[in-house]
Amino acid sequence: MELPKVDSFKVYKMLHDPRFVARMREPVHIVKNKYDVPYIVGYSQDGKTIYFDRHINTMLNGVDMTPFLVIHEKTEKALMDIFGLKYQ
């Protein structure tokens, strides 16, 4: 499967779009150790809650990976909601 070409200017514009910036600044509620979550981490339909699989250990070599996983989920949700990107 060939990956689509990425237009770096388009990506730059999306990441600096005021709607995207505002969305990334919104706080989220984090829920850990409570649910079985497909793909390890996921978000609620409105994106205001990030769920971590109850079996995941977020510590990696002494570093808590939680903030990085939260940024990933928030970015994914914002790009899909604001710009209509597909999950795939």
Side-chain angles (χ1 to χ4, degrees):
M1 180 177 148
E2 187 175 328
L3 295 175
K5 294 189 186 268
V6 175
D7 180 343
S8 58
F9 182 69
K10 184 176 179 180
V11 171
Y12 178 88
K13 284 178 61 178
M14 286 189 294
L15 297 180
H16 290 83
D17 184 287
R19 298 168 297 168
F20 178 82
V21 172
R23 176 74 69 89
M24 293 303 291
R25 288 185 176 145
E26 291 177 2
V28 293
H29 179 67
I30 297 172
V31 177
K32 287 186 173 182
N33 305 320
K34 195 168 182 180
Y35 300 104
D36 291 322
V37 179
Y39 309 111
I40 303 172
V41 182
Y43 45 80
S44 60
Q45 287 185 342
D46 64 6
K48 296 183 186 295
T49 304
I50 307 284
Y51 297 95
F52 285 74
D53 186 88
R54 63 189 177 100
H55 299 101
I56 188 174
N57 177 3
T58 57
M59 296 300 290
L60 179 65
N61 296 327
V63 177
D64 184 7
M65 301 303 291
T66 301
F68 305 103
L69 294 165
V70 168
I71 287 170
H72 169 86
E73 294 299 321
K74 287 178 71 170
T75 301
E76 183 177 272
K77 179 71 168 143
L79 290 173
M80 291 189 321
D81 286 353
I82 296 168
F83 302 107
L85 297 182
K86 302 292 182 207
Y87 178 79
Q88 294 76 8

